[in-house]
Amino acid sequence: MTVLSRLRRLAADGSVRQLDWHFARFMAELEDTDSAGIILGACLASAAVGRGSSCLRLSRWAGQKLASGRYELEIPGLEDWQTALRAAAVVGVPGEHTPLVFDGDDRLYLARYWQEEELLAKALGLQASRAPDDVNEKCLELGLERLFPGDAGDAGSQRAAAAMAVRQSLAVISGGAGTGKTHTVARILALLAEQSGANNWRALLAAPTGKAAARLAEAVRAQKDELGVDTLPESASTLHRLLGYRDGDAPRYHAGHPLEADVVVVDEASMVDLPMMRALVDAIASTTRLILLGDKDQLSSVEVGTVLGDICVAASSGGALESCVQILRESRRFADAHGIGQLAAAINAGDGERVLEILYDDTIPGASLRPLVADGVGRSGLEELAEPWSMMNRDAGAMEVLVAQRHFRVLCAVREGRSGLHHINAGVERELRYKGKISGNGRWYAGQPLLIRRNDYSLQLFNGEIGVVLPDPERDGELSAFFAAEGGAARGIAPALLPAHDPAYALTVHQSQGSEFDRVVLVLPPEGSRMLSRELLYTACTRARQQIEIWASEQTILQAVAQQVERASGLELRLA
């Protein structure tokens, strides 16, 4: 049986994605070959993109079996595989126009992602090399003394990050929860406004999702009066909106038509995928500063790439980006004795036993473990998860309700099963109906939290935005879905007009990025789930401001801490 025939069988039984099988078949037809090296290289390179990698690492797969049993496929050894790829017409070296690109050693790319990495690496290097030549050092030092009193400006401090952002055209500031990234960037904007001295000075704020953008704008607005800088921006947009994307179209802003701004600030940069980051940097003018904020230890983008992490690792190795990256070390939110801060540190260190110690220690506030049996969340658990929602006041104004709903959220690692998103969302709603907290049997009801799943440019609603359904005084008490709007207000939209959306009593950990809640209950699936990872556990824990309660078995916790997300990328090497 040929390689293609076996691969087709594996696709038929679900062991290989149909997309990957069809791409491999197409490459085999173009090459007119049944070479395992070419066919399996194409299949696995396509599959790698599906897992969020920008390329396939040959050394990770060489000599292994793609599947066992009757249709087993053996992947060539590394040297034989490299030889087959170098000889193939459908595989080119960097710079050639072929469907696949092989770097000659260990990385095999789909051509698009090789090009995205190449363009981004060059653009970041160029941005890093544009050191502003008009910095008023005396003005800067006075501003740093005033805005960061008591901060010596040591590496890893907020003052050092601010000084870097003024002196560089590219500034990357990474730090965990409570290290003051948005506090720092508001002061950076104040420093830059002072440097400019012009009334037409302009800053643009953006984030990957609507809720992250709203949170960034809210944080800057909250400090505007304190800083006394009238030119600080009051609103933020999603990256899609910032770059002028429309459905299926190329962005409005690009190298030939760059953004008109003195500085562009992007929060939650860990969530930005490779193509979006390339499009963003492409749209930055030569006179514009770019500031990226994020937490390099969080989950990466749902799509392809680990851009923020690659930038930070490359900078730690020296090279052009070394002077453009600051890692904030000190958490101002969590004292050394607080459970969430200790928990996050232990997770990042990969110390599963210490994680369990913290969760079981009643003397450490803010973090606890509730052992969860393998069959997931039952009726009593659903009743408990519904209780905070039953206490919320649905008669308040829309913005008050939206703010109140930030006090509590359930986070899930998976969608399916009795530990999953769908089960918990449906179960909480059922319990609220049983308690009489939901009136009527319609699709929409007062107090219903919603999560937008698809961008709608006509309504200016974007994937990830959270809203709530309430009676609308402007529509004679009919129900509207309310979402946070610019200026700290709420805007109502008729529910029937909404794009694809889900209930939001529970969110996946990915959906929660860019948000924070006072109290979080994290529900994990049984051990063995491939969704468990150190990054997922860390991201979920740092969504909590005051309290994190994890519902899981000890073995699930240990597996999550031990299992790191593996994404292959060549960006780090290009940047370094």
Side-chain angles (χ1 to χ4, degrees):
M1 186 178 290
T2 66
V3 174
L4 271 178
S5 298
R6 294 185 184 191
L7 196 59
R8 184 178 68 245
R9 298 278 187 173
L10 292 175
D13 70 14
S15 301
V16 170
R17 291 193 312 170
Q18 288 288 331
L19 176 64
D20 305 332
W21 141 248
H22 283 294
F23 180 71
R25 178 182 58 81
F26 182 44
M27 293 300 100
E29 290 175 356
L30 286 179
E31 188 73 22
D32 191 20
T33 184
D34 194 47
S35 162
I38 296 169
I39 293 169
L40 296 182
C43 177
L44 291 170
S46 176
V49 169
R51 292 191 298 271
S53 295
S54 58
C55 61
L56 171 71
R57 295 288 301 274
L58 269 61
S59 56
R60 166 72 175 77
W61 292 88
Q64 298 188 35
K65 288 181 170 58
L66 183 57
S68 57
R70 183 178 176 187
Y71 303 115
E72 158 183 305
L73 274 169
E74 188 167 335
I75 300 170
L78 184 58
E79 290 188 10
D80 290 342
W81 204 356
Q82 291 168 332
T83 300
L85 293 172
R86 290 188 186 113
V90 296
V91 181
V93 297
E96 292 185 341
H97 297 288
T98 51
L100 292 162
V101 175
F102 180 42
D103 71 357
D105 181 27
D106 195 34
R107 291 174 174 82
L108 180 66
Y109 290 84
L110 303 189
R112 175 195 171 184
Y113 293 101
W114 179 86
Q115 185 178 39
E116 294 281 12
E117 275 194 1
E118 181 74 2
L119 292 173
L120 177 58
K122 287 181 177 178
L124 285 171
L126 184 60
Q127 183 75 16
S129 70
R130 295 172 180 152
D133 57 5
D134 58 348
V135 176
N136 184 327
E137 288 290 339
K138 183 176 181 180
C139 176
L140 173 59
E141 288 300 326
L142 290 172
L144 291 171
E145 286 289 341
R146 185 180 75 257
L147 296 176
F148 298 94
D151 187 332
D154 298 328
S157 72
Q158 293 179 357
R159 177 168 171 167
M164 172 196 68
V166 174
R167 293 180 176 131
Q168 301 285 152
S169 289
L170 173 66
V172 180
I173 302 172
S174 176
T179 53
K181 296 183 292 295
T182 51
H183 173 90
T184 302
V185 85
R187 281 152 176 74
I188 291 171
L189 294 173
L191 292 169
L192 290 173
E194 287 178 359
Q195 290 281 323
S196 170
N199 291 328
N200 61 351
W201 178 82
R202 189 183 187 204
L204 296 176
L205 306 181
T209 66
K211 62 179 180 293
R215 191 167 143 250
L216 173 62
E218 183 182 314
V220 173
R221 277 198 308 269
Q223 298 182 64
K224 187 170 181 175
D225 290 340
E226 176 190 343
L227 296 173
V229 182
D230 293 337
T231 53
L232 257 59
E234 295 228 340
S235 62
S237 68
T238 64
L239 283 173
H240 280 86
R241 196 181 335 177
L242 177 78
L243 296 176
Y245 276 100
R246 305 294 296 180
D247 289 315
D249 293 337
R252 178 185 176 192
Y253 295 100
H254 47 77
H257 183 208
L259 292 162
E260 296 179 4
D262 295 278
V263 59
V264 174
V265 176
V266 178
D267 197 10
E268 298 294 344
S270 66
M271 299 168 63
V272 183
D273 61 49
L274 174 62
M276 180 59 80
M277 187 66 82
R278 197 270 310 154
L280 169 68
V281 178
D282 192 43
I284 300 298
S286 60
T287 55
T288 301
R289 286 177 171 84
L290 174 62
I291 301 174
L292 302 177
L293 308 175
D295 185 345
K296 64 182 177 61
D297 296 315
Q298 277 191 32
L299 282 168
S300 298
S301 155
V302 176
E303 304 298 334
V304 174
T306 54
V307 178
L308 182 66
D310 288 342
I311 291 172
C312 292
V313 172
S316 69
S317 304
L321 299 187
E322 184 176 18
S323 62
C324 301
V325 176
Q326 279 283 334
I327 311 296
L328 299 182
R329 305 291 183 191
E330 183 183 349
S331 176
R332 310 295 176 98
R333 181 186 307 163
F334 305 122
D336 292 341
H338 198 282
I340 296 174
Q342 290 192 52
L343 194 62
I347 292 167
N348 268 343
D351 190 343
E353 294 298 333
R354 177 58 183 153
V355 168
L356 290 177
E357 286 178 13
I358 294 166
L359 292 172
Y360 278 129
D361 192 337
D362 293 337
T363 66
I364 299 178
S368 60
L369 175 65
R370 173 168 172 170
L372 186 66
V373 293
D375 62 354
V377 181
R379 173 70 188 274
S380 62
L382 292 171
E383 288 179 347
E384 189 172 333
L385 295 178
E387 187 61 26
W389 294 97
S390 69
M391 303 293 289
M392 288 184 186
N393 179 12
R394 293 166 175 78
D395 298 323
M399 204 60 213
E400 291 178 69
V401 177
L402 284 169
V403 171
Q405 289 190 349
R406 297 176 194 167
H407 295 317
F408 172 74
R409 197 72 58 165
V410 183
L411 303 184
C412 301
V414 296
R415 292 178 176 273
E416 308 300 333
R418 285 170 58 83
S419 301
L421 180 79
H422 300 317
H423 172 70
I424 291 174
N425 268 325
V428 169
E429 183 175 302
R430 187 171 57 249
E431 292 301 322
L432 291 174
R433 286 189 185 279
Y434 178 77
K435 294 181 180 197
K437 299 297 182 178
I438 295 175
S439 58
N441 295 310
R443 179 178 176 186
W444 295 287
Y445 52 87
Q448 181 180 15
L450 299 175
L451 175 83
I452 299 298
R453 289 195 292 106
R454 184 174 56 80
N455 295 336
D456 188 312
Y457 294 90
S458 63
L459 292 174
Q460 291 292 287
L461 280 177
F462 298 91
N463 181 30
E465 290 197 61
I466 293 177
V468 62
V469 177
L470 292 169
D472 190 343
E474 296 186 5
R475 299 179 63 222
D476 295 326
E478 288 190 44
L479 294 175
S480 288
F482 288 90
F483 298 86
E486 293 183 1
R491 63 188 181 110
I493 297 171
L497 299 178
L498 294 176
H501 56 277
D502 286 330
Y505 295 109
L507 306 174
T508 65
V509 177
H510 268 293
Q511 290 170 341
S512 74
Q513 285 183 270
S515 298
E516 289 180 344
F517 309 98
D518 292 337
R519 178 183 168 225
V520 166
V521 171
L522 171 63
V523 181
L524 295 178
E527 60 181 295
S529 171
R530 63 182 181 84
M531 296 301 295
L532 295 171
S533 71
R534 185 181 304 175
E535 292 84 354
L536 179 136
L537 190 58
Y538 171 83
T539 302
C541 289
T542 53
R543 297 311 88 208
R545 282 188 288 252
Q546 298 174 9
Q547 184 180 7
I548 175 77
E549 183 177 308
I550 304 177
W551 293 16
S553 69
E554 290 185 9
Q555 284 306 117
T556 293
I557 297 288
L558 293 173
Q559 180 192 337
V561 174
Q563 191 164 287
Q564 288 187 272
V565 174
E566 290 187 20
R567 285 193 173 185
S569 165
L571 182 62
E572 172 196 328
L573 288 177
R574 297 180 203 230
L575 293 173

